[in-house]
């Protein structure tokens, strides 16, 4: 099992930790991306008063690659807001997604963000959560895992950085758009079958992890499907016990899985106040598969 980062946050009275993912800023065009960025910045302003920590669980940008002296332009409203949070001592944790995996120190140096290449254990409020982007987990998707390993290898970064930033941006943008069009054009029956396979992989990962170490919950992004479910042995995620509301509470050894959804369709986020893990957003009653 890969080595995990460890994070500890002490919650004071009425404080919460917030989790968001999959903004995909920069996609599909500058106008809609700016409007989405404004919504996100407004959301942070509304919640920063009781914020004990902010977790950005990957794919915040549809494309991000840091050269030695160059970073993608834009997103200054979000960056300014995050810098204001860290200046006030509010920890912000950024987890690399499959769209924004190539970091080189800019977030840490300019905005005081803590960055994570993989998953991390978060201990807070007497609970322990495994948090991360959530891609490439489980026994299958070998092709994706191979490509991810190649992309994250140091020689790949060196070779890509040899491209002029304009060419690098165009290549990455076209690949992202092609992938999104392929996903949108997929037939509903094929899409459901694909999601069931991903559900199985994720469930296998969580069950294997729990055999080695107990956690109270798993919090991931990547899937674009807002969900809270109580994990039950032998039951697939689409059959797992759905919560009557949007909050999970512990009465014993329950283990929960939460997916933060996205800000393309759901404007969804999660919060933890030391007692309850809650999910908020639009269209939360959509079927998971």
């Amino acid at each position: 099992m890969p080595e995990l980062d460890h994070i500890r946050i002490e919650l004071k009275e009425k404080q919460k930790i917030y989790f968001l993912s999959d903004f995909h800023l920069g996609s599909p065009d500058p106008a809609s991306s700016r409007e989405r960025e404004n919504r996100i910045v407004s959301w942070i302003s509304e919640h920063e008063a009781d914020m004990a920590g902010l977790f950005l669980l990957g794919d915040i940008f549809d494309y991000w690659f840091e050269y030695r002296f160059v970073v993608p332009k834009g997103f200054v409203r979000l960056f300014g807001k995050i810098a204001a949070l860290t200046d006030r001592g509010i920890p912000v944790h950024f987890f690399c997604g499959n769209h924004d995996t190539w970091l080189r120190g800019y977030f840490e140096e300019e905005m005081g963000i803590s960055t994570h290449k993989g998953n991390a254990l978060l201990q807070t409020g007497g609970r322990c959560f495994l948090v991360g982007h959530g891609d490439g987990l489980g026994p299958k998707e070998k092709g994706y895992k191979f490509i991810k390993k190649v992309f994250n290898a140091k020689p790949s970064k060196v070779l890509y950085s040899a491209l002029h930033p304009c060419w690098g941006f165009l290549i990455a943008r076209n690949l992202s758009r092609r992938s999104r069009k392929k996903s949108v054009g997929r037939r509903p029956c094929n899409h459901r079958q694909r999601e069931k396979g991903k559900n199985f992989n994720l469930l296998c990962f969580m069950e294997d992890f729990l055999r080695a170490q107990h956690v109270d919950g798993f919090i991931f992004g990547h899937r674009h499907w807002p969900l809270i479910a109580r994990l039950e042995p032998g039951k697939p995620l689409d059959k797992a016990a759905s919560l009557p509301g949007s909050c999970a509470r512990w009465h014993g050894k329950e283990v929960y899985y939460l997916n933060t959804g996205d800000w393309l369709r759901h404007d969804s986020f999660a919060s933890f106040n030391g007692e309850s893990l809650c999910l908020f957003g639009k269209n939360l009653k959509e079927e998971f598969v």
Side-chain angles (χ1 to χ4, degrees), residues 63-185:
Y63 160 73
W64 185 269
F65 183 88
E66 293 180 27
Y67 293 80
R68 186 177 180 185
F69 299 110
V70 178
V71 297
K73 71 176 183 178
F75 322 120
V76 294
R77 290 159 183 80
L78 178 61
F79 288 160
K81 194 64 185 179
I82 290 177
L85 292 179
T86 59
D87 286 347
R88 289 173 48 200
I90 299 174
V92 177
H93 293 268
F94 181 97
F95 289 76
C96 294
N98 49 300
H99 283 258
D100 45 22
T101 188
W102 285 345
L103 308 183
R104 198 171 178 170
Y106 179 75
F107 290 179
E108 297 94 331
E109 295 166 6
E110 294 296 324
M111 290 174 282
I113 298 174
S114 299
T115 60
H116 307 274
K117 294 290 186 181
N119 299 325
L121 286 173
L122 166 63
Q123 293 182 324
T124 182
R127 299 293 172 188
C128 183
F129 302 101
L130 184 72
V131 297
H133 185 55
D135 60 320
L137 302 178
K140 297 185 179 180
E141 294 189 285
K142 293 183 179 179
Y144 172 80
K145 292 177 183 177
F146 174 77
I147 293 174
K148 181 179 179 179
K149 188 174 182 179
V150 171
F151 277 9
N152 286 329
K154 187 174 181 179
S156 299
K157 297 179 183 180
V158 172
L159 289 173
Y160 197 85
S161 66
L163 293 172
H164 189 280
C166 291
W167 286 107
F169 172 79
L170 288 174
I171 293 171
R173 185 187 64 178
N174 290 335
L175 288 173
S176 178
R177 287 180 175 178
R178 186 180 304 173
S179 174
R180 199 173 303 283
K181 286 181 180 180
K182 184 178 180 180
S183 177
V184 171

Side-chain angles (χ1 to χ4, degrees), residues 162-219:
L163 293 172
H164 189 280
C166 291
W167 286 107
F169 172 79
L170 288 174
I171 293 171
R173 185 187 64 178
N174 290 335
L175 288 173
S176 178
R177 287 180 175 178
R178 186 180 304 173
S179 174
R180 199 173 303 283
K181 286 181 180 180
K182 184 178 180 180
S183 177
V184 171
R186 190 176 289 118
R187 292 183 178 181
C189 58
N190 293 338
H191 180 72
R192 285 195 296 270
Q193 192 64 32
R194 182 180 175 88
E195 287 300 312
K196 286 182 179 180
K198 290 183 178 180
N199 289 348
F200 175 78
N201 290 339
L202 187 57
L203 186 62
C204 288
F205 167 81
M206 291 188 288
E207 289 179 342
D208 287 343
F209 188 90
L210 289 171
R211 291 188 187 100
Q213 180 175 351
H214 176 79
V215 292
D216 297 291
F218 299 86
I219 305 175

Side-chain angles (χ1 to χ4, degrees), residues 127-130 206-207 209-210 213-218 228-233 237 240-241 243 248-258 277:
R127 299 293 172 188
C128 183
F129 302 101
L130 184 72
M206 291 188 288
E207 289 179 342
F209 188 90
L210 289 171
Q213 180 175 351
H214 176 79
V215 292
D216 297 291
F218 299 86
I228 291 183
R230 186 176 73 248
L231 299 181
E232 297 185 57
L237 283 177
L243 300 177
R249 296 177 179 86
W250 288 262
H251 304 284
K253 292 290 185 179
E254 299 96 338
V255 179
Y256 293 100
Y257 162 63
L258 183 145
L277 180 66

